[in-house]
């Protein structure tokens, strides 16, 4: 039997989510179909609103629905230490680990060696502006322990070489090829403690 077009359309969107296969997408689609109209409208509004209300913080590149993100606008953060990460998800991982209380800079990507670099799409200009306008005692480079992450770390370290006194890189207990996003809080905390000077 041929599936109803509206359900197929919805399933095509659902399978794009992480850990959602065809079977789960189908179950979700039917679950949505059986929701009452009010709940479904709320769900659809939340989706439509998502990209409109959330944007990139102009200072650090993290996500915010305000003018500046929560971290940049907080008076409780240590302002003389900066951690550079590739993705907003990495900020969330470090925040959940509750060990680091400084500021962040999100590159929103990594250098991909196979695809001709990708340096231009990184949030680098605002980083250089930031380090020239503020004094940081230390900049920690916390890109993923992958080939791309390493290439990005080396590139950024070179850029910061004569602009920042102390540039460090996270220690490894971190698994090579792994993602910070999926690394547990204890390992992340250890990696921060054991960071080494570049
Ligand atoms: Zn920010």
């Amino acid at each position: 039997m041929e599936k109803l077009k509206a359900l197929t359309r919805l399933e095509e969107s659902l399978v794009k989510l992480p850990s959602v296969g065809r079977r789960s997408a189908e179950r979700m689609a039917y679950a949505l179909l059986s929701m009452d109209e009010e709940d479904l409208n709320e769900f659809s509004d939340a989706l439509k609103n998502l990209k409109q209300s959330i944007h990139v913080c102009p200072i650090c590149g993290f996500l915010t629905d305000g003018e500046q993100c929560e971290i940049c606008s907080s008076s409780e953060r240590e302002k003389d230490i900066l951690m550079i990460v590739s993705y907003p998800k990495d900020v969330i991982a470090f925040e959940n680990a509750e060990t680091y209380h400084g500021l962040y800079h999100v590159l929103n990507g990594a250098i991909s060696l196979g695809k001709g670099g990708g340096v231009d799409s990184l949030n680098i200009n605002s980083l250089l502006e930031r380090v020239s306008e503020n004094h940081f005692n230390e900049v920690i480079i916390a890109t993923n322990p992958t080939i791309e992450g390493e290439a990005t770390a080396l590139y950024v370290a070179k850029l910061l070489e004569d602009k920042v006194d102390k540039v460090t890189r996270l220690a490894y207990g971190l698994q090579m090829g792994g993602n910070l996003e999926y690394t547990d809080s204890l390992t992340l905390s250890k990696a921060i403690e054991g960071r080494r000077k570049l």
Side-chain angles (χ1 to χ4, degrees):
M1 197 177 73
E2 211 173 306
K3 199 176 273 178
L4 297 166
K5 282 200 183 69
L7 280 171
T8 310
R9 183 180 165 197
L10 184 54
E11 286 173 30
E12 294 300 329
S13 293
L14 291 168
V15 289
K16 291 178 183 160
L17 295 169
S19 328
V20 177
R22 291 263 153 210
R23 296 280 306 164
S24 321
E26 188 178 38
R27 271 205 308 272
M28 286 180 194
Y30 278 102
L32 286 162
L33 183 60
S34 65
M35 268 165 114
D36 64 48
E37 189 109 18
E38 199 181 322
D39 287 346
L40 202 54
N41 281 338
E42 167 52 29
F43 188 73
S44 134
D45 281 352
L47 277 181
K48 278 187 200 147
N49 192 34
L50 192 61
K51 283 274 189 181
Q52 280 158 18
S53 62
I54 295 180
H55 55 267
V56 163
C57 171
I59 299 174
C60 73
F62 188 49
L63 300 173
T64 177
D65 55 6
E67 216 169 286
Q68 292 176 10
C69 77
E70 215 179 304
I71 295 164
C72 287
S73 54
S74 166
S75 57
E76 278 156 31
R77 309 293 302 202
E78 293 165 27
K79 308 267 182 198
D80 55 0
I81 179 162
L82 184 70
M83 187 189 283
I84 300 174
V85 297
S86 277
Y87 305 101
K89 288 180 284 193
D90 302 329
V91 172
I92 292 163
F94 282 111
E95 285 302 288
N96 288 340
E98 292 181 356
T99 317
Y100 177 75
H101 307 287
L103 301 174
Y104 294 95
H105 195 88
V106 184
L107 297 173
N108 277 312
I111 293 174
S112 63
L113 299 173
K115 296 169 201 154
V119 170
D120 294 344
S121 64
L122 297 181
N123 184 22
I124 293 274
N125 288 341
S126 64
L127 171 66
L128 296 178
E129 249 171 62
R130 248 181 129 181
V131 296
S132 69
E133 285 168 12
N134 302 276
H135 178 76
F136 294 107
N137 286 330
E138 181 179 354
V139 174
I140 306 170
I141 302 180
T143 50
N144 279 327
T146 56
I147 293 170
E148 290 80 12
E150 282 300 313
T152 310
L154 288 176
Y155 175 76
V156 172
K158 190 96 192 117
L159 287 178
L160 297 178
E161 204 172 39
D162 48 2
K163 298 182 178 69
V164 180
D165 295 340
K166 190 179 173 192
V167 178
T168 55
R169 174 96 173 103
L170 286 191
Y172 294 119
L174 296 173
Q175 200 190 346
M176 253 335 256
N179 267 309
L180 291 178
E181 185 194 338
Y182 301 120
T183 304
D184 66 275
S185 297
L186 182 64
T187 307
L188 283 183
S189 302
K190 288 278 168 219
I192 297 175
E193 281 169 25
R195 66 189 182 268
R196 59 200 157 74
K197 200 164 188 306
L198 287 177

